[in-house]
């Protein structure tokens, strides 16, 4: 049996999107004190740890993913003293804490970028970023044809200190987020300082933003499909992502974490946001001397189909678990349409009236499936409440830079970031400690009253109880977490597998009642589950008597 030092291998981590979790000051924006106040709720839910979205000083052009100072707290969210109080409270409750670190890019207001703007072309200050001369006789065209993930060119031109039109700098996201040049050693040394600053404050690890980025092709050549990243909102430009040198960074960061583990016996976790085309390429990031884990997004993006789910699970178990790591399963995060809406019938999507029953049923079944899979799992805040995507936010409240750069609502992320409802019948639903008239930073729809945490805790049929019961069983049953998975012979449209000493998970992806694939002791179901029958869009766990 693995030592508890390897806690991360089968941990369930709850993603806290800080500005939308709980507001302690009444300004309509969630903060670190709000996270601290919500820790007992998360402990009761049964998660092993939390991942905090960026709370560093930032002009908030991309809600904190444009970092101006990596070693402090933005006054919006508190201060370092409040962070230390949060860490102490989490430690008392036995809740791990991961921080979101953003090493691919920073804020255009970061002191080093401001120094670069004030310096001459070819200077050491500009070498920390990707500055290049433009093309054409007057340098008026970008250095290459790459497009930003957020739409438009990936380059912006600067005005030189003498007032003349100057060089261009690379930003694979918004212009306010210049990409670091990791081929300059000074950048890596600065992030060593950042890691140690937070590790010295007692954190348990890092979620690494854009972990397949960092290095770009050294010659910055044109792309064969320059609009691919903007079109797909995925990192598919092979010249800008997944360069081989990035693995040296993760080997070094792993060594830093192991240095701390050797000192006090607490293993620190590195989990990467890795978007690569195949599970085999994904597996390269979680080799024994690199990242401990990397989010496996293929389950999130798979269509609602038994064959599709079986394919991505099988590939993950073969290629990723084969490295000695464990798969890190996710169904949602702060960049994705909420699960219940994603799984709803197409005719109901975009109605703004919450999910149709089918979407909710599928989301419940998918949650139970994910919690039964070997490895770790991450839950985005509000998924345990069954929250739908808010799809009818007015244009004038949208803050996503994708909307600002493209003018399109396609793929914008505000709808999954609306502040959580905690109690009551009207906004702000207990989210803010201010007056009833206090306005959350994004408006909450009236139907959020149906999903408030106080109502969810009181209703044993709610999403919350499904997650809580699943997490309790997961921690109590040795068959869950680590270990192998064996597929069962099931009817078409049904996915079934067995774990350990006979724990079975089965999901009916169809709409007609289907005989259960095994008999035995029922443990938990995502919906009504008569003996011997597994209704459509339902998942269930059994202890098999075979």
């Amino acid at each position: 049996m693995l030592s508890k030092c390897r806690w991360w291998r089968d941990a369930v981590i709850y993603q806290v999107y800080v500005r939308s979790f709980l507001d302690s000051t009444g300004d309509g924006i969630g903060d670190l004190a709000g996270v601290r106040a919500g820790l007992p709720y998360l402990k009761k839910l049964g998660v092993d740890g939390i991942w905090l979205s960026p709370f560093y000083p930032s002009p908030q052009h991309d809600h904190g993913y444009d970092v101006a100072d990596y070693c402090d707290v933005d006054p919006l969210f508190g201060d370092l003293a409040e962070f230390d109080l949060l860490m102490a409270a989490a430690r008392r409750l036995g809740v791990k804490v991961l921080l979101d670190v953003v090493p691919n890019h920073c804020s255009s207001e970061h002191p080093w970028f401001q120094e670069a703007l004030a310096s001459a072309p070819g200077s050491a200050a500009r070498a920390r970023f990707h500055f290049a001369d433009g093309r054409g006789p007057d340098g008026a065209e970008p250095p290459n044809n790459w497009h930003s993930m957020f739409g438009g060119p990936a380059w912006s031109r600067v005005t030189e200190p003498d007032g003349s039109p100057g060089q261009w700098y690379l930003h694979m996201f918004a212009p306010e987020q210049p990409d670091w040049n990791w081929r300059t050693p000074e950048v890596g040394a600065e992030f060593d300082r950042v890691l140690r600053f937070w590790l010295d404050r007692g954190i348990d690890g890092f979620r690494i933003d854009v972990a397949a980025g960092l290095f770009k092709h050294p010659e910055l050549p044109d792309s064969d499909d320059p609009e691919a990243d903007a079109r797909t909102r995925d990192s598919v430009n092979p010249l800008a992502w997944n360069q081989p040198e990035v693995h040296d960074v993760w080997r070094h960061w792993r060594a830093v974490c192991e240095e701390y583990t050797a000192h006090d016996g607490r293993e620190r976790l590195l989990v990467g946001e890795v978007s690569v085309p195949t599970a085999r390429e994904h597996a390269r990031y979680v080799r024994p001397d690199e990242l401990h884990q990397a989010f496996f997004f293929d389950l999130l993006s798979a269509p609602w189909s038994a064959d599709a789910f079986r394919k991505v699970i099988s590939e993950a178990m073969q290629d990723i678990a084969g490295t000695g790591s464990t798969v890190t399963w996710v169904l949602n995060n702060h960049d994705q349409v909420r699960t219940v809406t994603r799984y709803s019938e197409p005719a109901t999507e975009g109605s703004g009236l919450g999910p149709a029953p089918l979407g909710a049923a599928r989301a419940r079944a998918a949650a139970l499936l994910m919690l039964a899979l070997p490895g770790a799992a991450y839950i985005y805040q509000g998924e345990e409440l069954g929250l739908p995507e808010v799809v009818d936010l007015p244009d004038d409240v949208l803050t996503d830079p994708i909307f600002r750069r493209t003018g399109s609502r396609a793929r914008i992320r505000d709808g999954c970031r609306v502040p959580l409802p905690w109690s009551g019948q009207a906004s702000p639903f207990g989210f803010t400690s201010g007056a009833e008239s206090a306005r959350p930073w994004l408006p909450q729809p009236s139907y959020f009253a149906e999903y408030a945490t106080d109502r969810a805790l009181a209703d044993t049929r709610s999403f919350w109880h499904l997650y809580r019961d699943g997490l309790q069983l997961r921690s109590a049953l040795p068959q869950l977490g680590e270990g192998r998975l064996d597929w069962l012979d099931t009817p078409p449209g049904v996915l079934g597998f067995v774990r350990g000493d006979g724990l079975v998970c089965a999901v009916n992806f169809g709409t007609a009642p289907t005989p259960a694939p095994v008999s035995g002791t029922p443990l938990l179901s995502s919906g009504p589950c008569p003996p011997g029958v597994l209704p459509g869009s339902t998942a269930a766990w059994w202890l098999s008597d075979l």
Side-chain angles (χ1 to χ4, degrees), residues 98-402:
L98 308 183
L99 300 195
D100 207 325
V101 65
V102 188
N104 179 73
H105 49 266
C106 65
S107 167
S108 56
E109 296 185 18
H110 190 285
W112 279 11
F113 190 72
Q114 290 295 305
E115 181 185 353
L117 292 178
S119 300
S123 63
R126 289 202 174 180
R128 298 165 178 157
F129 302 92
H130 295 277
F131 278 85
D133 294 333
R135 297 195 285 196
D138 58 357
E141 298 297 322
N144 66 27
N145 65 355
W146 297 0
H147 275 235
S148 159
M149 294 273 282
F150 289 171
W155 296 89
S156 289
R157 197 175 194 184
V158 305
T159 300
E160 299 295 353
D162 64 2
S164 64
Q167 289 190 305
W168 298 71
Y169 69 90
L170 179 69
H171 51 84
M172 294 306 298
F173 295 91
E176 296 87 0
Q177 295 169 291
D179 280 38
W180 292 106
N181 180 5
W182 275 81
R183 298 185 188 279
T184 299
E186 194 176 2
V187 173
E190 173 63 6
F191 275 93
D192 274 10
R193 183 184 74 86
V194 171
L195 296 185
R196 292 180 184 280
F197 177 87
W198 294 108
L199 289 168
D200 288 343
R201 298 190 94 89
I203 69 160
D204 298 287
F206 297 94
R207 177 265 186 186
I208 304 166
D209 189 58
V210 195
L214 279 62
F215 286 86
K216 278 65 179 173
H217 190 288
E219 298 175 6
L220 300 175
D222 278 345
S223 169
D224 292 335
D225 187 3
E227 297 185 6
D229 285 351
R231 183 177 64 251
T232 63
R233 276 288 328 284
D234 203 357
S235 50
V236 295
N237 178 355
L239 304 170
W241 314 105
N242 200 25
Q243 297 292 297
E245 297 92 335
V246 76
H247 296 281
D248 292 333
V249 176
W250 307 139
R251 291 187 186 97
H252 177 70
W253 284 27
R254 179 69 174 256
V256 171
C257 287
E258 291 184 353
E259 174 189 329
Y260 280 79
T261 298
H263 176 71
D264 61 14
R266 290 196 300 115
E267 189 157 17
R268 275 63 166 194
L269 168 65
L270 297 173
V271 56
E273 181 193 32
V274 173
S275 296
V276 289
T278 66
R280 184 163 297 178
E281 289 177 271
H282 181 116
R284 295 182 62 220
Y285 285 81
V286 293
R287 289 175 289 193
D289 62 342
E290 295 194 36
L291 302 177
H292 299 82
Q293 294 176 326
F295 297 124
F296 184 66
F297 295 117
D298 293 33
L299 189 67
L300 182 158
S301 59
W304 184 255
S305 154
D307 291 342
F309 270 57
R310 179 166 179 158
K311 179 178 184 294
V312 300
I313 292 168
S314 295
E315 289 175 352
M317 293 300 297
Q318 173 181 316
D319 294 327
I320 299 171
T323 66
S325 180
T326 54
V327 185
T328 305
W329 307 100
V330 291
L331 287 171
N332 211 282
N333 61 38
H334 64 292
D335 291 329
Q336 304 295 330
V337 173
R338 283 199 176 273
T339 311
V340 290
T341 302
R342 199 169 70 240
Y343 288 150
S344 293
E345 304 98 327
T348 68
E349 291 187 3
S351 67
L353 301 177
L358 182 57
R362 288 174 173 177
R364 291 170 63 93
L368 208 54
L369 168 65
M370 179 181 72
L371 293 178
L373 290 170
Y378 280 65
I379 301 169
Y380 178 50
Q381 69 178 35
E383 292 293 290
E384 83 283 7
L385 302 175
L387 280 182
E389 185 85 355
V390 181
V391 298
D392 57 351
L393 290 166
D395 286 358
D396 62 356
V397 305
L398 297 178
T399 60
D400 194 325
I402 297 172

Side-chain angles (χ1 to χ4, degrees), residues 73-98:
V73 175
D74 194 297
L76 273 175
F77 307 118
D79 54 27
L80 283 171
E82 179 55 52
F83 175 80
D84 291 340
L85 290 173
L86 170 59
M87 284 300 306
R91 191 73 63 223
R92 286 194 298 273
L93 291 171
V95 175
K96 308 289 187 182
V97 177
L98 308 183

